[in-house]
Amino acid sequence: MDDEHDPTTPEDGREDDGREDWRDEVPDSERIGRDRSRIGDDEWEDLVRQIAEPSAPMGDIPAEEVRAALDDDHWQPGPAEPIGWRTASPTLVLSWAAALGAVALLLIGVIFFRPLPGWYLLIGLAVGVGGGIGLFFHLPHHRSPDDGDGSSV
């Protein structure tokens, strides 16, 4: 065996401490050159530092003033806006009732009326289709710019 080229010692005679300098062995296709689709270490560290910084600006009012304003006994919240089916248009509520009612009507008919009468089936299908058409016409016609692209979680 040749003692001059021991695999545990490098060519220059230094002891190998288990770490190799791999930077010279990187193929040209992996090197960062003028390819702007890749970034260098300095740019990467700058991006990571920007992510770690808070992105929300400080509020105009200090926290102590906000607490004092909220602790004020004279402050009363405004009346809450009604939500749900009370504020919806009557045709939308009727369409939902028809679509869901038709499903319930047909399920009840299938469970209790054997064989299901033809007129019962026809009425159930007509109410369900009518409710579905009503719901279709209540779909939004356009998107507002405030809606975004729909990809936020």
Side-chain angles (χ1 to χ4, degrees), residues 55-144:
S55 61
M58 294 294 292
D60 295 338
I61 303 173
E64 293 78 21
E65 290 182 28
V66 172
R67 284 191 198 100
L70 291 176
D71 290 339
D72 188 12
D73 293 333
H74 302 293
W75 180 80
Q76 293 292 327
E81 294 182 19
I83 57 172
W85 62 274
R86 295 178 188 151
T87 58
S89 70
T91 56
L92 179 63
V93 174
L94 184 64
S95 297
W96 272 111
L100 296 176
V103 171
L105 184 73
L106 291 172
L107 281 175
I108 289 171
V110 166
I111 293 171
F112 293 115
F113 301 120
R114 289 275 173 122
L116 190 63
W119 60 269
Y120 192 85
L121 181 64
L122 186 62
I123 289 173
L125 289 175
V127 169
V129 169
I133 290 172
L135 289 174
F136 179 75
F137 281 112
H138 278 90
L139 288 173
H141 296 251
H142 65 283
R143 293 178 59 145
S144 69

